[in-house]
Amino acid sequence: MYMVLLGPPGAGKGTQGEKLKDKLGLIHIAMGNLLRETVKKKTPSGEKVRAFMEEGKLVPDGVILELLKNEIELEKEGFILDGFPRNLSQARKLDEFLDKEAEKLDLVINLEVKKAVLIKRLRGRLICSECGKVYHKSKIDHSMEICKDCGASLLQRNDDNSDIIKKRIEVYLEHTHPLIDYYRKKKILRNVQGEGTSEKVFQRIMDLFKEKKIA
Ligand code: AP5
Ligand code: MG
């Protein structure tokens, strides 16, 4: 199965992507995580990527497509894409890529969350400095701020500050929101209420499969 998780910053794409990966046995390709790995290498191209991300802007398509190509080639069974596509030109590239492989996108899940909730989630997010696992300040033991999986320290993302969160939401509305219509017209879009606990949201996604609301 080839699927995309769509939604604004903080909608829960990463959180749900990890749950779905375990449940469906697919790979979860999170473009933001791939970019943060690139930045860590401190190469000249990594430095350019860092500048775009720290300003909350989209990284140029050329860099994104190159990163994606390397990941997708590793896995032919299917994938869950999170953070890609993020504009119409990336969406068309994805269609072309799947077309060449005689495949097609099966499902786009659009997580719907109010702006005030997004901001609260992003301000409180912590990520593991090593494996990137996502946490929220309200749900961790503050006497032991380390990753449950690998024991590394938890950090706030550089782009999770108020000004950049605002910018990222603006960029989402201008460039990524139009994809909702793009996928609706292709009849592969499913809107999912992204508020409530992450378990509840996951259940709503699973219900789509049960109710055979998926093409
Ligand atoms: P990226 O890392 O993809 O960031 P984003 O799209 O802004 O989304 P987030 O990762 O912030 O949110 P999320 O939806 O994954 O939410 P999460 O599950 O973490 O991209 C970063 C940057 O990279 C971009 O700004 C851009 O510069 C660049 N980039 C990436 N892809 C690109 C592309 N294709 N083209 C060009 N540039 C690109 O949850 C958030 C928080 O909420 C967490 O703390 C979590 O624990 C909590 N939470 C989640 N679900 C719930 C729930 N149901 N209830 C309560 N809390 C919850
Ligand atoms: Mg994410």
Side-chain angles (χ1 to χ4, degrees):
M1 159 168 280
Y2 297 97
M3 92 193 235
V4 163
L5 288 171
L6 206 60
K13 302 181 294 296
T15 303
Q16 297 303 324
E18 284 300 295
K19 288 179 183 290
L20 286 164
K21 171 183 96 172
D22 294 341
K23 185 78 180 177
L24 304 175
L26 300 173
I27 55 162
H28 170 209
I29 303 176
M31 187 49 70
N33 292 357
L34 294 178
L35 290 166
R36 279 181 285 280
E37 287 302 314
T38 305
V39 169
K40 268 193 199 166
K41 291 180 190 147
K42 294 202 184 312
T43 58
S45 60
E47 284 303 299
K48 280 190 198 143
V49 167
R50 185 175 60 79
F52 284 103
M53 292 178 81
E54 285 189 357
E55 288 179 30
K57 294 179 181 164
L58 293 185
V59 173
D61 284 0
V63 177
I64 298 292
L65 295 170
E66 200 51 40
L67 275 174
L68 187 76
K69 213 173 70 190
N70 294 338
E71 287 297 309
I72 287 184
E73 275 171 2
L74 297 175
E75 182 58 58
K76 301 276 183 206
E77 294 301 311
F79 51 62
I80 304 162
L81 290 176
D82 147 10
F84 181 92
R86 240 173 166 102
N87 58 30
L88 283 166
S89 105
Q90 292 181 8
R92 290 186 187 114
K93 287 281 179 206
L94 177 61
D95 288 345
E96 278 170 29
F97 172 83
L98 289 170
D99 227 37
K100 270 193 215 142
E101 304 286 322
E103 297 287 355
K104 63 174 181 47
L105 200 56
D106 299 292
L107 172 66
V108 177
I109 292 177
N110 178 40
L111 295 170
E112 298 178 307
V113 178
K114 281 194 294 288
K115 189 174 171 184
V117 176
L118 297 174
I119 293 172
K120 200 170 161 205
R121 286 185 184 177
L122 293 174
R123 282 194 182 144
R125 174 168 56 191
L126 292 173
I127 60 162
C128 173
S129 53
E130 282 302 318
C131 71
K133 190 177 168 81
V134 177
Y135 296 86
H136 195 273
K137 281 179 189 168
S138 63
K139 294 206 178 118
I140 59 166
D141 175 358
H142 289 281
S143 63
M144 228 176 40
E145 285 197 9
I146 55 167
C147 178
K148 279 194 278 187
D149 284 359
C150 70
S153 54
L154 303 184
L155 301 174
Q156 187 159 36
R157 262 171 51 174
N158 286 339
D159 57 351
D160 277 348
N161 67 67
S162 298
D163 288 348
I164 305 302
I165 290 171
K166 191 167 159 254
K167 174 74 185 170
R168 284 160 58 205
I169 293 174
E170 282 168 15
V171 168
Y172 163 80
L173 289 173
E174 183 181 348
H175 297 279
T176 314
H177 190 267
L179 295 183
I180 294 177
D181 226 37
Y182 180 79
Y183 288 123
R184 184 183 292 128
K185 284 181 185 148
K186 289 181 178 285
K187 302 194 188 327
I188 52 171
L189 184 87
R190 298 293 179 273
N191 292 315
V192 171
Q193 161 64 276
E195 294 180 32
T197 63
S198 57
E199 291 75 21
K200 186 90 198 158
V201 177
F202 182 63
Q203 194 51 54
R204 287 182 195 129
I205 299 173
M206 284 298 107
D207 287 348
L208 291 179
F209 286 89
K210 264 196 239 150
E211 293 161 19
K212 294 199 172 43
K213 285 188 188 161
I214 288 162

